[in-house]
Amino acid sequence: MKIAVLPGDGIGTEITAEAVKVLRSLDLKFEMETALVGGAAYDAHGHPLPAATLKLAQQADAVLFGAVGDWKYDKLDRPLRPEQAILGLRKNLGLFANFRPAICYEQLVGASSLKPELIAGLDILIIRELTGDIYFGQPRGRRTAVDGHFPDSEEAFDTMRYSRPEIERIAHVAFQAARKRSKRVTSVDKANVLETSQLWRDVVTGIGKQYPDVALDHMYVDNAAMQLVRAPKMFDVIVTGNLFGDILSDEAAMLTGSIGMLPSASLNAGNQGLYEPSHGSAPDIAGKGIANPLATILSAAMMLRFSLDQPEAADRIESAVKDVLASGLRTADIHSVGTKRVGTREMGDAVVASLTHKTTKS
Ligand code: IPM
Ligand code: MG
């Protein structure tokens, strides 16, 4: 089992170190190789996704990714910005299926900005299509307008685009995931306005006929954004396109009160995957040793389950995280009165201690 470890920028290095520590504490043999990505790679090699890093990722069974980005790269040309590294990895590895669970941990109910009764027990899975849509559609660019309301003025344009097979494969992923849960899929689109969304709705409806045991409904994205804060527990699996999924998954993450807790998985057709926390590089707290490593540790658990065929090890990590929370340890982002505030490293150590303690006992 080969894991490419790409820590990236900001808190990326600190949180990935803890996830690596947790992986090493399991009685499993991994080959792990680390490479630069994002701003760190740009500084060292002049490109956010150097060829050697891409090759390492392609050859690995799974990629453990930290986070990329920092304000200091904002002025670079777009192809050189740190974000291009993650987009390039998604595209080059064909990672079209993005799983973003939003789970509200019992001990963290109070950390959400929503009323506890709205989010207690919340367990939603957002499945976001990740290699199509307006993110990658061509043509795009800037030019001088020839028509429209303001001819001869500067304009910019992007292309929202989806093909039938792209929608079919993500729809299958969503229905199959729903079968393992409470068998409900909500497909989110903007079919009242957009052609891409009308095709999306038609195709998802068609694929849904192959899954008669799964209930399918459709929702416009504006309404979905509203329902997510009104009554989030109405959802089980949400399947949506790249742009809507980007926005709704941040919204859903915040329902749980703690984006620092949420892992994600991005898979291709061969189950090769990239695993990263749902949060970003948080340059404002980088280097302070206070970032929450749990989202990355939980991403490592998803990696064991989805790409490395080690579901038991994944369960063990997830239950160790719950134990650590139950014992009252909290990083700054989830800290509240009556709990013990710890740093990044102490949190990682506590997960390892819980894991190894259990091994000894059993
Ligand atoms: C995400 C991020 C990325 C995205 C950025 C960093 C390119 O927001 O993974 O959600 O827009 O997909
Ligand atoms: Mg995002």
Side-chain angles (χ1 to χ4, degrees):
M1 293 186 282
K2 178 155 181 178
I3 304 171
V5 181
L6 310 182
D9 307 321
I11 59 170
T13 44
E14 301 161 52
I15 54 179
T16 348
E18 299 311 309
V20 166
K21 193 157 84 184
V22 168
L23 285 168
R24 290 218 192 279
S25 78
L26 301 165
D27 335 293
L28 296 168
K29 292 249 174 305
F30 306 109
E31 196 189 317
M32 294 199 236
E33 197 175 328
T34 302
L36 293 175
V37 75
Y42 173 78
D43 288 340
H45 304 294
H47 196 280
L49 182 58
T53 301
L54 177 58
K55 193 166 165 219
L56 175 69
Q58 281 166 329
Q59 288 172 347
D61 299 300
V63 178
L64 183 66
F65 192 92
V68 292
D70 191 306
W71 307 300
K72 68 179 184 191
Y73 305 108
D74 282 356
K75 290 208 166 64
L76 290 175
D77 286 345
R78 185 172 305 283
L80 295 177
R81 288 196 208 163
E83 292 77 10
Q84 293 303 310
I86 184 69
L87 296 174
L89 284 165
R90 288 173 185 169
K91 199 66 186 175
N92 279 289
L93 273 63
L95 305 170
F96 71 91
N98 182 214
F99 290 72
R100 296 194 170 183
I103 294 173
C104 185
Y105 286 83
E106 201 187 308
Q107 292 88 1
L108 302 180
V109 169
S112 174
S113 48
L114 292 198
K115 296 191 191 96
E117 62 268 28
L118 287 186
I119 45 117
L122 182 78
D123 182 354
I124 313 180
L125 175 61
I126 298 195
I127 297 186
R128 168 187 175 195
E129 199 290 330
L130 206 56
T131 52
D133 204 350
I134 199 165
Y135 269 60
F136 295 97
Q138 294 293 338
R140 57 184 281 163
R142 288 163 82 130
R143 64 187 171 195
T144 302
V146 288
D147 49 20
H149 290 303
F150 297 99
D152 298 324
S153 56
E154 187 183 17
E155 68 174 11
F157 58 103
D158 299 274
T159 303
M160 184 175 264
R161 180 174 223 150
Y162 265 121
S163 65
R164 180 174 284 275
E166 276 178 301
I167 304 168
E168 283 173 353
R169 64 182 181 176
I170 195 73
H172 280 295
V173 168
F175 287 113
Q176 280 162 21
R179 271 191 172 157
K180 298 186 192 146
R181 301 168 52 98
S182 54
K183 298 195 169 60
R184 285 184 298 120
V185 170
T186 303
S187 173
V188 171
D189 63 37
K190 188 71 187 171
N192 50 347
V193 177
L194 302 171
E195 294 303 323
T196 20
S197 279
Q198 189 60 58
L199 179 66
W200 179 280
R201 190 172 280 220
D202 295 348
V203 173
V204 173
T205 305
I207 299 295
K209 301 217 159 70
Q210 298 175 36
Y211 300 84
D213 53 320
V214 179
L216 168 66
D217 65 348
H218 301 273
M219 201 179 274
Y220 297 136
V221 62
D222 48 350
N223 186 24
M226 181 173 76
Q227 300 303 335
L228 269 175
V229 287
R230 191 189 69 86
K233 283 191 261 183
M234 74 160 73
F235 296 106
D236 180 23
V237 172
I238 293 178
V239 63
T240 189
N242 204 346
L243 180 63
F244 300 154
D246 178 46
I247 299 165
L248 293 182
S249 61
D250 265 27
E251 189 188 0
M254 222 39 236
L255 301 177
T256 70
S258 49
I259 198 165
M261 293 295 302
L262 298 178
S264 80
S266 305
L267 299 177
N268 67 17
N271 274 342
Q272 191 188 18
L274 181 145
Y275 299 83
E276 57 173 327
S278 285
H279 60 73
S281 55
D284 52 328
I285 59 162
K288 296 189 178 158
I290 60 170
N292 186 347
L294 293 178
T296 318
I297 291 171
L298 291 166
S299 299
M302 283 183 106
M303 174 170 84
L304 289 162
R305 181 171 296 121
F306 288 134
S307 290
L308 302 179
D309 200 24
Q310 299 291 336
E312 279 161 25
D315 291 345
R316 285 180 53 213
I317 293 179
E318 286 162 359
S319 76
V321 167
K322 286 189 189 131
D323 288 349
V324 168
L325 289 177
S327 77
L329 300 194
R330 303 281 188 275
T331 41
D333 57 317
I334 50 175
H335 180 254
S336 60
V337 182
T339 61
K340 179 165 186 260
R341 188 167 172 152
V342 295
T344 311
R345 206 171 296 158
E346 284 165 279
M347 190 56 117
D349 287 343
V351 174
V352 169
S354 166
L355 269 172
T356 41
H357 175 63
K358 284 212 170 115
T359 322
T360 336
K361 263 205 309 203
S362 59

